[in-house]
Amino acid sequence: MTGIRLTAPAPGWAIDADVVVVGSGVAGLTTALRCAAAGLDTVVVTKARLDDGSTRWAQGGIAAALGEGDTPEQHLADTLVAGAGLCDEEAVRTLVTEGPDAVRRLITTGAHFDTTDSGDIALTREGGHHRRRIAHAGGDATGAEISRALVEAVRAAALRIIENALVLDLLTDAEGRTAGVSLHVMGEGQHDGVGAVRAPSVVLATGGMGQVFSATTNPSVSTGDGVALALRAGAEVSDLEFVQFHPTVLFLGAESEGQQPLVSEAVRGEGAHLVDATGTRFMLGQHELAELAPRDIVAKAITRRMHEHGTEHMYLDARHFGARMWEQRFPTILAACRAHGIDPVTEPVPVAPAAHYASGGIRTDLRGRTTVPGLYACGEVACTGVHGANRLASNSLLEGLVFAERIAADIAETRPPRTEPAEAAGDADAPVPLLAPEARTAIQRTMTRGAGVLRSAESLAAAAEELEALHRSAADADDPDPKVAVPGVDTWEATNLLLVSRVLVAAAREREETRGCHWREDRPDCDDEHWRRHLVVRIAADRTPAVHRTETAAFPPVRPAD
């Protein structure tokens, strides 16, 4: 345990449970439903409203070997190729083997997928897939439908829910085992202010950390809170340098910041073409799958073409779809484009890469257990080994489903007893100084400049220095004119973003090669001999990121006894 925690008031209220699930996307709600079904007293904590998680933004769909002629082995092969040599094959095999039945259980929970005229689930293709295996709903509103079904099921099960609550830190007992979380509830309700949920099992399903970059497809709540909490608690994270930049995000201008509209890969799956300003299809000859190559390859090709032409975006041309197909298959994307003055029925759509998905995260085993006893992680916040150096399209929702069920089964089997949280004491437990809210923008711009799609030793060194300067300024007790940041959501989020950014940059500086979605322009080759390894990071006693390279491509066990 590090003893590191955020500066925050002491909890003014507390409730007890067997399990607290932090997050309300597909991973969190599936875990909560399965735990409750096993008779465990389960509390769901979510940062916004119950249906405001990242899941509802997912457009493309959920990948599983559901179609005639498709098999888990074929899904496995495509996933391993996309992962660029760093997938854990056992984790991927678990995903693709258990995935189809997990999707069927999701359907029995109430999710409605689009079907063919014969009543079968309609399947499409996305980048990196050699078969049509992407199930979708509402055309391009798959996440929204899955979220709707799970939220309704959670409400029907009458689970205890704490909405508008930012999780702060992990509570541990005298033995260093999980004993719950502290959290801050925004606004009035049954609970408000800083409190605690005391539980022997904590499941982090907090989603991604896309807000460390200026432009992202992630909602504003995706500030890396789960990864930051885990790091402060002493957990290990891995593969954090592998941030996937989605190739086709609606380009709204070079100065546009925050969440940007996604143009789903499924649009390319249905036959849209990537073209430059002259109308030339530049993905032909780049990869056997052309526009449907894995995302890192497409993002790099777009970026190269932008540099060659001196432009800030490329185009996605799907005018040949016609109005009817756009309206029926991609109504959400069509509406988003038209809201920004672009009509994809009659003109190509300007697109550019933007931060999308964290392939790495809190390191877990195949039961979702982290290196801290009693702490689990699931979904985008976790690193199960499934995604390797680059996530295969539409594997994320499936990973959330499969590993959520595994976590719930493990908690139900072990049923650890409740213990009392230990009191913080000593210098090691000195709270983390908070950053002022305006630091958020500074962090995002630093990360976009230095650790974005294109990275180099020089750009990463500059980013590291700028981030450390922010860290030092917050911690400088001798500053004659200190800017005291008051504890609150804005300052806690900015502080979380800084911690996650420092760790990401430390790992990216260490990995001196190009692999998957980690693109070092000064190290353009993939070096299997030295770098077909994982980088595992934890926070050292001096509160700096300590990076360790594994000896092989396999993860070490999460605990010595495993």
Side-chain angles (χ1 to χ4, degrees):
M1 302 302 296
T2 66
I4 304 171
R5 67 186 192 283
L6 289 171
T7 299
W13 55 267
I15 61 174
D16 294 312
D18 296 322
V19 185
V20 55
V21 177
V22 186
S24 61
V26 62
L29 296 187
T30 300
T31 303
L33 285 168
R34 297 294 183 270
C35 285
L40 295 161
D41 184 4
T42 305
V43 173
V44 176
V45 174
T46 184
K47 194 172 179 180
R49 303 292 294 176
L50 196 60
D51 61 354
D52 279 344
S54 293
T55 290
R56 75 182 183 95
W57 296 100
Q59 294 175 345
I62 185 166
L66 297 164
E68 184 178 352
D70 197 5
T71 65
E73 285 295 323
Q74 294 175 66
H75 191 181
L76 173 96
D78 286 344
T79 301
L80 294 179
V81 168
L86 282 184
C87 294
D88 180 280
E89 186 166 341
E90 186 181 359
V92 178
R93 193 172 297 281
T94 298
L95 177 83
V96 300
T97 302
E98 298 181 10
D101 282 344
V103 172
R104 295 182 185 103
R105 283 189 288 274
L106 179 62
I107 292 170
T108 64
T109 302
H112 301 293
F113 289 94
D114 296 339
T115 57
T116 64
D117 292 341
S118 61
D120 297 325
I121 296 175
L123 301 171
T124 190
R125 276 183 70 193
E126 291 185 357
H129 293 272
H130 282 79
R131 283 191 172 272
R132 297 179 75 91
R133 66 166 65 96
I134 316 300
H136 49 83
D140 57 359
T142 309
E145 170 57 19
I146 291 173
S147 180
R148 178 206 61 77
L150 291 173
V151 166
E152 286 187 7
V154 164
R155 294 200 187 282
L159 294 184
R160 284 191 288 174
I161 301 162
I162 303 176
E163 294 180 302
N164 301 310
L166 172 64
V167 67
L168 300 176
D169 281 306
L170 190 72
L171 303 176
T172 54
D173 63 18
E175 304 300 319
R177 200 184 188 290
T178 293
V181 290
S182 59
L183 65 160
H184 173 78
V185 181
M186 300 163 262
E188 297 181 0
Q190 185 178 358
H191 308 288
D192 59 17
V194 175
V197 180
R198 298 180 299 212
S201 297
V202 171
V203 182
L204 295 178
T206 52
M209 55 185 191
Q211 288 291 325
V212 301
F213 296 96
S214 296
T216 177
T217 62
N218 289 194
S220 61
V221 295
S222 296
T223 50
D225 307 318
V227 170
L229 175 151
L231 284 165
R232 287 193 296 271
E236 293 178 351
V237 303
S238 188
D239 299 353
L240 219 61
E241 68 272 30
F242 297 118
V243 177
Q244 188 177 81
F245 286 77
H246 198 288
T248 54
V249 175
L250 185 63
F251 181 75
L252 301 180
E255 302 304 315
S256 183
E257 296 182 334
Q259 186 178 10
Q260 314 286 302
L262 176 66
V263 182
S264 170
E265 202 153 290
V267 178
R268 281 175 281 138
E270 296 292 350
H273 303 145
L274 280 166
V275 299
D276 59 25
T278 68
T280 302
R281 284 183 66 187
F282 55 88
M283 284 306 300
L284 294 176
Q286 297 266 353
H287 189 275
E288 61 167 337
L289 296 176
E291 281 90 356
L292 287 177
R295 287 177 176 174
D296 63 309
I297 293 171
V298 180
K300 290 171 188 175
I302 290 174
T303 303
R304 286 195 190 100
R305 199 71 164 192
M306 285 161 50
H307 286 181
E308 291 169 4
H309 286 229
T311 60
E312 296 173 321
H313 62 82
M314 288 287 113
Y315 294 93
L316 189 64
D317 191 352
R319 289 174 290 179
H320 54 284
F321 284 5
R324 182 179 175 84
M325 181 172 175
W326 268 110
E327 290 164 359
Q328 292 187 350
R329 181 67 179 85
F330 301 111
T332 307
I333 299 170
L334 178 64
C337 289
R338 285 177 170 170
H340 292 282
I342 300 156
D343 188 351
V345 176
T346 60
E347 60 186 317
V349 178
V351 293
H356 182 56
Y357 190 89
S359 293
I362 307 164
R363 194 166 73 82
T364 76
D365 63 9
L366 297 187
R367 289 183 277 177
R369 302 181 303 171
T370 73
T371 51
V372 175
L375 179 65
Y376 297 79
C378 189
E380 189 173 354
V381 74
C383 181
T384 61
V386 160
H387 304 309
N390 182 47
R391 174 177 68 90
L392 181 65
S394 287
N395 268 356
S396 52
L397 293 175
L398 190 70
E399 183 194 32
L401 271 183
V402 168
F403 287 90
E405 294 184 344
R406 289 181 145 252
I407 287 172
D410 190 73
I411 297 172
E413 178 184 337
T414 57
R415 294 183 182 265
R418 298 178 186 179
T419 56
E420 287 296 315
E423 294 291 330
D427 292 339
D429 291 303
V432 175
L434 302 178
L435 290 180
E438 55 266 26
R440 177 172 180 149
T441 300
I443 293 166
Q444 292 169 332
R445 292 176 179 175
T446 291
M447 292 297 289
T448 296
R449 281 194 305 270
V453 178
L454 261 179
R455 302 168 177 175
S456 68
E458 183 179 1
S459 75
L460 289 165
E465 177 55 35
E466 290 171 24
L467 294 173
E468 287 309 308
L470 284 170
H471 177 66
R472 288 193 301 269
S473 68
D476 189 359
D478 298 325
D479 188 342
D481 185 27
K483 295 181 180 178
V484 179
V486 177
V489 174
D490 289 345
T491 55
W492 288 320
E493 285 186 333
T495 304
N496 284 340
L497 284 171
L498 178 62
L499 176 56
V500 172
S501 296
R502 291 171 66 215
V503 171
L504 192 161
V505 168
R509 293 182 76 182
E510 184 80 8
R511 183 172 291 281
E512 296 181 338
E513 65 158 355
T514 290
R515 182 183 297 273
C517 49
H518 173 66
W519 187 9
R520 287 280 298 261
E521 59 181 337
D522 57 330
R523 303 284 186 183
D525 297 322
C526 182
D527 181 358
D528 277 350
E529 181 181 354
H530 299 100
W531 289 107
R532 190 165 174 252
R533 308 284 190 275
H534 297 279
L535 294 178
V536 177
V537 189
R538 65 188 313 158
I539 298 301
D542 63 358
R543 304 194 177 193
T544 60
V547 184
H548 166 71
R549 180 170 22 165
T550 60
E551 295 182 1
T552 69
F555 277 127
V558 296
R559 301 192 191 98
D562 289 351

